[in-house]
Amino acid sequence: MGGTMHALSAVPNKAKKRGEMAEKSYEEEHPTKAFGWAARDQSGVLSPFKFSRRSTGEKDVRLKVLFCGICHTDLHMAKNEWGNSTYPLVPGHEIVGQVTGVGSKVEKFRVGDKVGVAGMIGSCHSCDSCSNNLENYCSEVIITYGAKYLDGTTTYGGYSDIMVVDEHFVVHIPDNLSLDAAAPLLCAGITVYSPLRFYGLDKPGMHVGVVGLGGLGHVAVKFAKAMGVKVTVISTSPNKKQEALEHLGADSFLVSRDQDQMQAAMGTMDGVIDTVSAMHPILPLISLLKTQGKLVLVGAPAKPLELPVFPLIVGRKIVGGSAGGGMQETQEMIDFAAKNNITADIELISMDYVNTAMERLLKTDVRYRFVIDIGNTMKN
């Protein structure tokens, strides 16, 4: 809480009072008291925050948050790196918890159920995307935190003790999945599962490359292998080879900076899932594709990448993208994970370690996803 204290101590009493009044209004905005950790400014430093949640509506599910994964988006949003953050900002969209209350018209959930909440909590329900179970592509999608809800109030994410969510945007977590290690599947998992399915890179015997062995990449390897696909991990780090092959079960490993290795693998892959969000050349990845192969980008570099068109034309190749998945597919992904015993590799942390975790995430010093133990370590 140090950064916030320093900031408050540097402003006059009037401003301090205004801040106190604002914080009070967050507590009184809704009937249900809530507690979480929020960023107050672009420093991204998180500190304890008292606020409130709406009362449980007739179609709402109320849940006690048990675990929440830390996604790279949380870091970008906390620091306003995309220019659209509003403060106070309570991050978190890899949320797992237990149902503590349901509205009178809730049909799919009951008290005691283990559930998950992912990257969105609302959509229009009437556009083409919503009609096709692709709520994530709805132009009026309401994201889990840092957005405006239907009632005009700000949405707050899973770094908090409770959530109240429309049942349509809640998924069941099967009993055999470890709740803490299942949390990252709600963002990292669906982000790689959806393109494997949509682009048809899920057929046994196919050969798929996975670029980047981080939070997204390590789960992509697990899903692709469970689908019966041959998987090659493509990384700039030779020291990840043993991890990729022996621990994650990839079939082969390419060092992307090694010209000879990349040359030898040219034209061998049906598809490549690129999870890297740093600037990087994509021509070498297009070269790995067979004729009619597909390069799918799920990482989002800050600046435009250079797209060489000629190799696409002469190889009838496709460069595509994908962002999360709809609610039906998110449940399908979770069920597939449970059936195939797939979870993320995580480092479980306490709530008060979150700022250190963010600093480590910035340096990619995590294997492979931080998950906050909200249920046991969130102290009001």
Side-chain angles (χ1 to χ4, degrees):
M1 200 165 177
T4 310
M5 294 295 288
H6 284 304
L8 279 176
S9 64
V11 295
N13 280 339
K14 274 187 185 170
K16 209 181 283 191
K17 280 205 173 91
R18 273 202 304 274
E20 285 164 8
M21 281 164 63
E23 296 257 337
K24 199 171 184 188
S25 70
Y26 298 126
E27 284 187 72
E28 294 172 354
E29 196 168 39
H30 297 293
T32 308
K33 293 274 182 277
F35 180 73
W37 278 50
R40 306 310 210 285
D41 55 45
Q42 295 191 8
S43 70
V45 174
L46 295 149
S47 56
F49 174 56
K50 290 181 179 178
F51 64 110
S52 51
R53 299 279 190 194
R54 69 177 183 269
S55 49
T56 309
E58 58 185 20
K59 293 286 285 176
D60 285 339
V61 171
R62 188 176 75 240
L63 59 131
K64 172 183 164 63
V65 179
L66 298 175
F67 300 101
C68 187
I70 298 182
C71 173
H72 229 289
T73 298
D74 300 346
L75 185 59
H76 292 306
M77 290 289 286
K79 292 178 175 288
N80 194 26
E81 289 176 355
W82 293 333
N84 61 349
S85 299
T86 54
Y87 299 99
L89 183 122
V90 178
H93 61 201
E94 299 181 342
I95 305 157
V96 170
Q98 187 164 22
V99 176
T100 57
V102 294
S104 58
K105 293 188 178 174
V106 168
E107 296 171 359
K108 296 187 292 185
F109 301 94
R110 57 173 190 257
V111 172
D113 284 356
K114 303 293 195 307
V115 295
V117 178
M120 58 186 166
I121 53 170
S123 68
C124 80
H125 298 291
S126 59
C127 67
D128 282 353
S129 292
C130 287
S131 301
N132 288 303
N133 300 306
L134 296 169
E135 302 93 338
N136 51 313
Y137 297 114
C138 172
S139 62
E140 295 176 34
V141 69
I142 301 171
I143 58 175
T144 304
Y145 66 86
K148 286 282 179 250
Y149 198 62
L150 302 168
D151 60 5
T153 60
T154 300
T155 62
Y156 296 117
Y159 295 13
S160 60
D161 55 357
I162 59 166
M163 298 279 294
V164 179
V165 184
D166 182 316
E167 76 162 332
H168 183 80
F169 296 94
V170 181
V171 294
H172 280 283
I173 306 291
D175 287 337
N176 68 313
L177 276 183
S178 168
L179 294 181
D180 52 0
L185 297 179
L186 293 159
C187 176
I190 188 61
T191 298
V192 295
Y193 178 91
S194 186
L196 285 167
R197 292 293 195 208
F198 177 76
Y199 289 97
L201 301 175
D202 56 352
K203 312 290 185 291
M206 278 187 157
H207 184 191
V208 172
V210 174
V211 189
L213 199 60
L216 295 177
H218 91 285
V219 180
V221 173
K222 293 184 182 190
F223 275 124
K225 284 301 296 178
M227 292 168 182
V229 170
K230 179 187 175 188
V231 178
T232 295
V233 170
I234 303 153
S235 173
T236 55
S237 311
N239 57 0
K240 289 188 176 177
K241 180 174 183 176
Q242 187 177 357
E243 174 80 4
L245 301 180
E246 294 178 16
H247 176 65
L248 296 172
D251 298 281
S252 52
F253 186 89
L254 285 178
V255 179
S256 55
R257 292 189 175 123
D258 186 319
Q259 298 293 327
D260 292 342
Q261 284 187 28
M262 294 294 281
Q263 186 83 26
M266 279 175 68
T268 62
M269 298 181 193
D270 298 283
V272 171
I273 304 287
D274 184 354
T275 72
V276 176
S277 54
M279 293 298 294
H280 61 292
I282 59 172
L283 177 60
L285 304 178
I286 293 170
S287 301
L288 294 173
L289 297 172
K290 297 176 182 175
T291 302
Q292 303 188 119
K294 299 160 187 171
L295 169 62
V296 187
L297 308 173
V298 295
K303 294 176 184 168
L305 298 175
E306 197 169 296
L307 180 65
V309 175
F310 195 68
L312 301 183
I313 295 171
V314 298
R316 204 193 204 183
K317 297 174 183 179
I318 290 172
V319 177
S322 188
M327 294 315 302
Q328 183 175 305
E329 188 173 45
T330 301
Q331 185 67 66
E332 177 193 303
M333 175 275 304
I334 286 285
D335 294 342
F336 181 87
K339 185 180 171 188
N340 292 279
N341 203 26
I342 295 170
T343 52
D345 290 12
I346 65 163
E347 181 176 332
L348 192 63
I349 63 165
S350 62
M351 189 68 245
D352 61 9
Y353 186 78
V354 69
N355 289 307
T356 306
M358 290 285 194
E359 288 169 18
R360 286 179 54 195
L361 182 59
L362 195 57
K363 297 182 283 198
T364 63
D365 174 25
V366 56
R367 214 175 128 258
Y368 285 94
R369 204 65 152 188
F370 287 117
V371 173
I372 309 167
D373 185 354
I374 303 277
N376 289 314
T377 69
M378 174 81 80
K379 304 280 192 295
N380 189 338

